[in-house]
Amino acid sequence: MQNCILARKLSINHKAKIDMDIEKKSIFVGSKAYLEKSFLEELSYKIWSTKGTRFRASIRLTTISKMSNISISILSAYLIIAGLLAVYNIENDDNNLKYINYYVTALSILQLVIAQFENSQDYKLKAKNFHDCSLELSKLYNKLRTFKTLNSTASEYSVLSFCQKLSEEYQEILNRYENHDDIDYDNFKVEKFDHFSELTKKDVKNIKYRYLWICYGAYSLIIIIPPLIILGIIVF
């Protein structure tokens, strides 16, 4: 009888211990684990991830700016080369010349529209703004790291005052600049893969493919398709 009572008590105690472990277990995993830490740690993560993301946004826009200039320049060269076909009578078929002249005219209009749209995007200016934002956030992050290192025994009031002031500075910086795109944060997570355990290899591949398409996809088509159409008109 005593053995049964003892076994029952042990069972109850074991169940209670399991319940306590479940309660203590974090409901946030991976990169969101900071949400269950102190506000100082949460602020540290926000500044660290935002400065890295803004830097990736600067790189993306710089790359797009270069690809935009290259593709528009090559498109202009295609128009000149195609126009010379008629000037130097390289193509003797009159029907083909009519198609080529029509294609050159249509392509000239398209090139003008693309050039105006790309110029209106101000990729270089946006890239510089994101880079400046990243530098300002870096200063803020260094200030936070210095406080954590040199003030490990600071009082709660000192930590609270520091967090409030730093949070206001962080928000002021964000207010001065436009927000980044989702691909920039995803690309930052790929760069810091060890810190984001929720990412799988499939996720990394998808993010890289998306990034390549955003930076190079449309501009590659602008470079490749026009000469293929001209060759198709001449050959067929």
Side-chain angles (χ1 to χ4, degrees), residues 1-10:
M1 185 69 178
Q2 290 181 348
N3 290 337
C4 291
I5 294 173
L6 182 60
R8 187 175 179 182
K9 286 183 178 180
L10 290 173

Side-chain angles (χ1 to χ4, degrees), residues 54-55 58 126-136:
R54 295 295 166 90
F55 183 70
S58 174
K126 290 180 180 178
K128 183 181 181 302
N129 288 339
F130 278 128
H131 188 263
D132 291 343
C133 179
S134 179
L135 292 178
E136 290 186 37

Side-chain angles (χ1 to χ4, degrees), residues 7-8 24 33 48 60 67 86-87 95 105 115 118 136 146 157 185 191 199 216 219 226:
R8 187 175 179 182
K24 289 180 180 179
W48 171 73
R60 173 179 60 84
M67 287 302 299
V87 174
N95 288 329
T105 304
E118 290 296 299
E136 290 186 37
T146 302
Y157 178 77
Y185 180 61
E191 183 184 11
L199 277 183
Y216 301 98
Y219 303 109

Side-chain angles (χ1 to χ4, degrees), residues 15-50:
K15 185 178 179 182
K17 185 178 179 181
I18 292 175
D19 292 339
M20 289 177 65
D21 290 339
I22 292 174
E23 289 178 359
K24 289 180 180 179
K25 188 177 180 181
S26 174
I27 62 174
F28 298 104
V29 295
S31 60
K32 294 184 178 181
Y34 72 90
L35 292 173
E36 290 195 344
K37 297 181 180 179
S38 66
F39 182 68
L40 185 63
E41 294 296 332
E42 180 180 341
L43 194 58
S44 176
Y45 173 82
K46 286 181 178 179
I47 297 174
W48 171 73
S49 60
T50 306

